[in-house]
Each structure stands twice: as C-alpha cells, then as structure tokens.
Amino acid sequence: MRKLFTLALALSMVLAVGGMALAQGPSGELEIFSWWAGDEGPALEALITRYVELYPDVTVNNATVTGGSGVNAKAVLKTRMLGGDPPDSFQVHAGQELIGTWVIADRMEDLTFLFEEQGWMDQFPQGLLDLISTDEGIWSVPVNIHRSNVLWYNPAKLAEWGVEVPATWTAFVNETCPALQAKGVIPLALGENWTVNHLWESVALAELGVEGWNGLWDGTTSWTSPEAVAVWDIFGQILACADPDAASLSWQQATDKIVSGEAAFNVMGDWAAGYMVTTLGLTPGEDFGYVPSPGTDGIFMMLSDSFGLPRGAANRDAAIAWLTLLGSAEGQDIFNPLKGSIPANLNGDVTNPDLYNTYLQSAAADWKTNTIVGSLVHGAVAPETFLSNFATVMEIFLATGNAQATANAAQAVALQSGIGA
Ligand code: GAL
C-alpha cells in the first residue's frame, strides 16, 4: 500500500514538473509577418493552428499585407525595420533578398544555434544552407521549396481546341499562339507587373540555358551579349500573345482564366498548384496540367520562403518556438501540401501520397534529379535593389519594345547594384 502511495506521489510530482515545464513555454503575443493573405493564407493558417496547440499561452498575430510575391509587404517591412519596430518573425526569400537586404544591414540574429540544436545541419540540402548563410552565420529557416518555371494549362480545353503543349517558345509564338488566336482564345494568361517579370525569368532561362542564366548573376554573361539581347526579342513576341487585360489581374485571377478556358497557358510558380488544389478544389493532372515552362525541361528554377528572427524582436522566445516548428519535418508536412510547395527539410514525408498530391510528387522528383538554378523575381539570385531597378528596365521594354536599349539599361542597373562585380 505504502509502495503504491509512494508511486502515486512520484507520478504526481512528475506530472506537476511536466505541467510547470509547459507553463514555462513562451507566452504573450507573437507577430508573424508575411504576404500570405486571403487565397494565399491556408497553409500558413494551418501551421499557426498547430503552433497554438503546442504553445497555448501565445496569442498569434498573423499580420499579412496582401500582394503577390510580396510587392506590398516588402515595402511595409522595410519601413518597420528601419523604424525600429520589427515583427517577431517575417517571411523573406532565401538568397540575396535575405542576405543582401537584412543580413548586410546587421538586422538579423544568427540562427546557427537553432540549426545545431535541431539537427538541421543534416536535414536541409547543402545548396539551400549556402543560400541562407554567410561566413558569419545562418540567417533564416526555410519552410519550403517552390518552383518558378512551370507552364499550367487545362487539358480538357487544349483537347477541345486541338492544341498541343509547346516545347519551346519559338513553337509557342509561331504555331500555338496563332492557332489559339484564330479560335478567339487568349494564348497566354498574365497578371499585374511582377508576373511579367516572372514570365521573363522563365523565358530568359530557356533562351540562355543554365550557364547563361547563372552567368547573369556572376558576371560571366553580359546583359548586352547577343544572346541576352535576343531574350528581349522573343519576350516581345511572347507578350504579343498575352492577355491584354493583364495589368489589372492578380496571379490568382490569371490562373482563373486557365481554369475557365478563357486563356490557354500561364507561366507561374507552383503556388498556383496550391491555389488550384486548396482553394479551388481541383485535381492535378486531371483538372489542370503542368510541365516545365518551354525550353526548361530538366531545369528547376527554385525559390524558398523562409522566416527569420530580426534583432530586437519583442517576443524572441515565441519567435524561436515558431521557427522551430516551421523548420521541423512535422511543420513542413502541415504547410507544404496546402501551399503547393515541397518540404525543404529532407525528413519531410514527401513520398506520402496521402499528404503530397501528384503535382507535388513530380516536383519532388524533379528537385532531386534536375539542374537547380535560382529565381530572380523571388529573391534567390539578386538583391532587392537590383529587382526594384529591374522593374524600370521592364518598363523601358514595355514602353519602347526596343531590345537593345532595354539590354543596355539592364547592364547599367546590374553594374549599379554590384551584380556580377
Ligand atoms: C512568392 C512566394 C510564394 C507565393 C508567391 C505569390 O514570392 O515565394 O510563396 O506567395 O510569391 O504571392
């Protein structure tokens, strides 16, 4: 009897200590800042739901600023960071968007301790670790891998129109585009400004190839070389096949045009798969089709969404708990199936068909076997200064259609931003 009593006492002490440990977890408010609002929100919301289960004493403020690719959010973030009012954690692309903006300005905390503590040094691909690191530290936690160079279409509609998926941009411009126009179909869906840049990066990759594309960022490809000028020539011909209403559309609305059959093709990152599956309830491979954008078979243009810990975060403990969850295999398997991306953490359960649909399985297979290059528009290869100046370069092209003048402007902007220096 006494033994039993002692056991019960010991057990209740263990429980009490366990309870105390829980009680000592993070508390207070945690502000997570991103551009995943509205249609883009479900994956982040699911992760936050899990976070609140794990840390019930934390109230999460899911602070979002709408606008695809962070066009608006990044500006708001800049004001807040410079004003000494950082969120506790914020979305930032792995690569130069992170390093060239916030790390060189010494605004981030080094997260090497967390990577070591969590065993992440062996759980993330080396190439990705390189993107988020400098000699001084590791600066963010990647939550996913997205692919930029995907061509989306509606298989039933293509069959109805008797049109094949083009393998090259030349075939698209010379055959696919006129065939569709003759049927009164918009050959290429497109949206607001940044989606034009997004299209451009897939076209440039196709025309320049892996070496040529990488060379733009390390200085071995000149922006004024005949090959780089030729990118603008073909790009102009492609734009002539694009939706005339593009400027007023979000990327989701451009995607909608593929689903409805108003337009035939769309080049967009695979968050479009997340939108079509999670928000619209469509089935990949049946309701929508996908291939690498023309001329980029075997190449995976990657980008990675990550979250960092700014210096001076008001609730550092809660932010570290957040980063711990989103870097874990568990967190990534909650987030990515809804987002349309694959886990960055190699322990993610990506071959599980109950979690990852056929599109995501194919992306995961390509991620393993393809040649990997980085995205310009989504922060991997160039700092934000270059990207914002590139918007002006694009305006010059849209206003003049002059490939050589645009290439000259791009070269000047690259020099100014220290690209390839
Ligand atoms: C990208 C981001 C994706 C998705 C997309 C559209 O920059 O990496 O996760 O949000 O913008 O907004």
Side-chain angles (χ1 to χ4, degrees), residues 212-260:
W213 172 258
N214 288 339
L216 289 176
W217 317 114
D218 66 16
T220 54
T221 305
S222 161
W223 286 84
T224 52
S225 63
E227 301 77 37
V229 176
V231 171
W232 293 103
D233 280 325
I234 185 99
F235 188 62
Q237 296 171 50
I238 295 166
L239 283 185
C241 300
D243 186 354
D245 294 335
S248 63
L249 303 178
S250 66
W251 68 264
Q252 291 94 330
Q253 290 170 314
T255 307
D256 289 342
K257 292 204 175 192
I258 304 302
V259 175
S260 69

Side-chain angles (χ1 to χ4, degrees), residues 304-383:
S304 170
D305 293 300
S306 70
F307 282 77
L309 178 62
R311 286 192 195 283
N315 198 343
R316 186 174 181 276
D317 288 350
I320 290 172
W322 165 247
L323 297 174
T324 305
L325 174 64
L326 75 85
S328 70
E330 184 203 356
Q332 308 225 336
D333 286 339
I334 293 172
F335 180 87
N336 288 297
L338 298 170
K339 185 64 172 65
S341 42
I342 54 174
N345 187 318
L346 297 166
N347 290 346
D349 198 8
V350 75
T351 53
N352 180 350
D354 294 335
L355 281 180
Y356 290 91
N357 63 41
T358 48
Y359 168 72
L360 293 167
Q361 303 260 350
S362 82
D366 287 354
W367 172 243
K368 272 199 191 153
T369 55
N370 280 196
T371 306
I372 309 294
V373 299
S375 157
L376 161 65
V377 179
H378 308 281
V381 291

Side-chain angles (χ1 to χ4, degrees), residues 15-69:
L15 286 177
V17 171
M20 268 167 60
L22 264 186
Q24 280 168 356
S27 59
E29 188 183 299
L30 169 71
E31 186 188 6
I32 300 168
F33 184 91
S34 79
W35 59 87
W36 290 329
D39 283 342
E40 290 222 64
L44 178 64
E45 283 153 21
L47 199 55
I48 290 175
T49 301
R50 180 65 184 137
Y51 180 87
V52 175
E53 265 167 34
L54 291 170
Y55 307 104
D57 294 336
V58 179
T59 309
V60 175
N61 171 6
N62 181 7
T64 54
V65 177
T66 319
S69 83

